[in-house]
Amino acid sequence: LQPKMHLMLAALRWRVPIISALGAGGKVDPTKVTYGDISETEMDPMAEFIRKRLKKQFGIESGIGCVYSTERPNYSACKDSGDSLYKRSYYGTVSYMPNLFGLHMSAIVIREIGLKT
């Protein structure tokens, strides 16, 4: 997640609009996918981790657009990877959720471009 956070930091410093897809893992309800500022995210363990790290490392609390799900994560979908060096666990992701996050992001970009022309 460190590269993702550095990309967010660079975008804010250079005043480049950015949208980040956050935790789709353990989620299955497409009606709960939404867009908002990173400070508004809820029910998303990945967003919470990134929010805390951005604040601690860079002093950033808001200003990053995010696509996330307000669905409570299915904790039974969390699996232990058994890897002590890298990620210790991961959430299984149903096939359509990452695609849905991408579609939301595309719609936001197209809408923003349309508003500027």
Side-chain angles (χ1 to χ4, degrees):
L1 294 177
Q2 202 64 27
K4 187 175 195 126
M5 291 187 296
H6 279 279
L7 179 63
M8 292 173 180
L9 174 64
L12 286 175
R13 282 186 178 163
W14 288 90
R15 293 191 172 112
V16 175
I18 187 169
I19 301 173
S20 181
L22 296 177
K27 313 286 180 88
V28 295
D29 188 349
T31 65
K32 300 286 185 179
V33 177
T34 189
Y35 171 76
D37 189 82
I38 194 161
S39 63
E40 301 167 354
T41 59
E42 58 183 341
M43 296 294 168
D44 189 331
M46 181 179 176
E48 181 180 7
F49 177 83
I50 289 175
R51 233 184 11 251
K52 287 179 180 178
R53 272 306 214 12
L54 285 171
K55 184 176 180 180
K56 182 179 179 180
Q57 284 184 260
F58 309 117
I60 297 169
E61 296 184 47
S62 64
I64 299 167
C66 297
V67 173
Y68 63 98
S69 173
T70 58
E71 179 181 3
R72 183 176 299 281
N74 176 1
Y75 291 106
S76 66
C78 187
K79 304 297 178 197
D80 184 359
S81 68
D83 190 344
S84 62
L85 295 176
Y86 299 104
K87 235 174 134 170
R88 296 200 56 192
S89 64
Y90 62 91
Y91 278 102
T93 307
V94 68
S95 63
Y96 55 84
M97 287 304 274
N99 301 327
L100 187 58
F101 276 47
L103 287 171
H104 273 265
M105 291 168 67
S106 299
I108 292 160
V109 169
I110 290 168
R111 188 173 57 225
E112 289 297 314
I113 290 171
L115 291 175
K116 291 181 181 176
T117 58

